[in-house]
Amino acid sequence: MEGVWYRRMLERGCPQGSQLGPTLWKVAITPIYGSVISPDSTKILTYADDILLMVGAARPKTAFNRIEKQLDKFTTWATEFALEFSAGKTQLLSLKGGLKPGYSILFGTAADAPRIESSPTAKYLGVVLDPRRSYWDHVLSVCKKSDDMYSRLRALYSANWGMGQSAANTIYKGVFLPRISYAAEIWAEGSKLRKSRAKLLSAQRKPLLAITGAYRTASTNCLSAVAGTLPLDLEIRHQAALRNRARERISADEMDTITFELLNEWQDRYTSTNKGSWTQKMIPSVRQRYHLPLDLEHYPTQFLTGHGDFKAKLYGFKLVNDPICACDRKPETVNHVLRFCPRTASARRKLKIKMREEGEAWPPENGAFLKSRRTFQALKSFAREALTNRIDR
């Protein structure tokens, strides 16, 4: 009935996961907002049971006094609801003013109030904040978590056995990316720092090796192109744009422009390094590869990277005594096996037929094998036959 109130004293909390719990917590925490001191310089943000207090002042001492007075209000509120704050778990961070860690404040104005020690960074809702807002510490944090995850998965795969490339790609898209790109719209600008970019690319290397089935000697520059996956620092910015698009903060045209520019940046980076020159011939356009879904496998990956069971490459790593092919003609390079070696003549004839059916000439031009799924399938069949039907291995 309208205008009728009912009261009941709650003598115990709600169990974890209860349907009523979140609603009751909202009721309990609402008075926090009414306790704001100096509304022009103080702001409170809450998310579940995380409370963020932001205080501004011209001088540190003024800011400290305002914080301590506000914490008195928090303590009064907590006592009313039979709750307690932990000063040891409370983080104190200065975002402006040049204050360096080492200072502390009381958790309230009482003489016996515990102290809150300042720290160089603070973690709020999973994002590590720092005074310079470079997000370098956040990059370190997410990379360490993801490295631990793929280190455990490493036991499940090798270049040519164990977990397949398709499964590795599913884990990458469904677990790795969501985990490392969490809150990307907040810290994406930090990924542009040179050291952050290097750290992110290093963290991406293990997943790319699993996705491509490549040997560990292949460069990261090659691996992202073979996988058809944006380098991780660019992916972070792409994920940030996608989330902004989902929230309608940017238009569809702006999203298309951002993706186009990221692919251009990737292309410039890809071709400006001398690492992976053979891959640059096999995959000259990262944009084309990005938009062409492929079912990768260990054998064709060797022909895309140039790193594999080729004596000239193995000789370069001092794993065999000489680089000469078993046909006794020339060094056994990837190009020799693909185009000239008489031992792969039968597989090559089949490859030529399939490529001509797709309108591709022989010798193949740069990028010919990734013109379509059919041309890649032709390379895939050749690679498997050429690298498995050997009597000298």
Side-chain angles (χ1 to χ4, degrees), residues 146-322:
S146 299
D147 183 67
D148 292 344
M149 179 185 72
Y150 261 91
S151 293
R152 293 192 295 271
L153 291 175
R154 182 66 182 87
L156 300 178
Y157 72 86
S158 184
N160 58 354
W161 58 266
M163 181 176 63
Q165 279 70 58
S166 178
N169 194 34
T170 299
I171 293 172
Y172 177 79
K173 292 180 178 179
V175 180
F176 179 86
L177 269 186
R179 186 174 186 177
I180 206 167
S181 65
Y182 168 77
E185 61 271 39
I186 303 298
W187 61 276
E189 285 297 310
S191 68
K192 294 180 180 180
L193 288 176
R194 182 176 298 180
K195 62 180 182 179
S196 294
R197 184 177 76 182
K199 189 66 179 178
L200 289 166
L201 294 180
S202 176
Q204 191 184 25
R205 184 169 174 78
K206 287 180 181 178
L208 291 180
L209 286 171
I211 292 169
T212 60
Y215 284 108
R216 286 178 291 178
T217 53
S219 71
T220 305
N221 187 50
C222 294
L223 293 174
S224 58
V226 173
T229 300
L230 282 165
L232 191 51
D233 62 308
L234 301 183
E235 185 65 66
I236 293 299
R237 288 155 60 186
H238 189 240
Q239 290 293 321
L242 286 173
R243 292 168 194 178
N244 284 327
R245 173 60 191 143
R247 295 177 174 88
E248 298 185 347
R249 293 172 181 166
I250 60 175
S251 66
D253 288 341
E254 288 174 315
M255 183 69 231
D256 291 341
T257 299
I258 291 172
T259 303
F260 183 84
E261 291 174 349
L262 288 174
L263 288 172
N264 282 347
E265 186 173 343
W266 182 16
Q267 184 71 48
D268 292 342
R269 185 188 304 179
Y270 174 63
T271 55
S272 64
T273 177
N274 56 7
K275 290 184 178 181
S277 57
W278 174 260
T279 302
Q280 291 169 10
K281 293 179 180 179
M282 297 293 279
I283 311 175
S285 170
V286 293
R287 184 184 303 277
Q288 183 182 25
R289 172 65 188 96
Y290 181 75
H291 292 296
L292 180 65
L294 297 176
D295 185 16
L296 293 172
E297 193 179 85
H298 171 59
Y299 296 106
T301 291
Q302 294 182 61
F303 281 88
L304 293 176
T305 62
H307 289 247
D309 192 12
F310 310 112
K311 288 185 70 177
K313 179 62 68 175
L314 298 176
Y315 180 75
F317 291 111
K318 299 181 180 180
L319 298 175
V320 295
N321 294 325
D322 69 82

Side-chain angles (χ1 to χ4, degrees), residues 31-52:
I32 281 285
Y33 292 97
S35 69
V36 173
I37 296 174
S38 303
D40 294 336
S41 59
T42 304
K43 188 173 182 179
I44 296 172
L45 296 177
T46 62
Y47 186 89
D49 60 346
D50 282 306
I51 301 173
L52 174 63

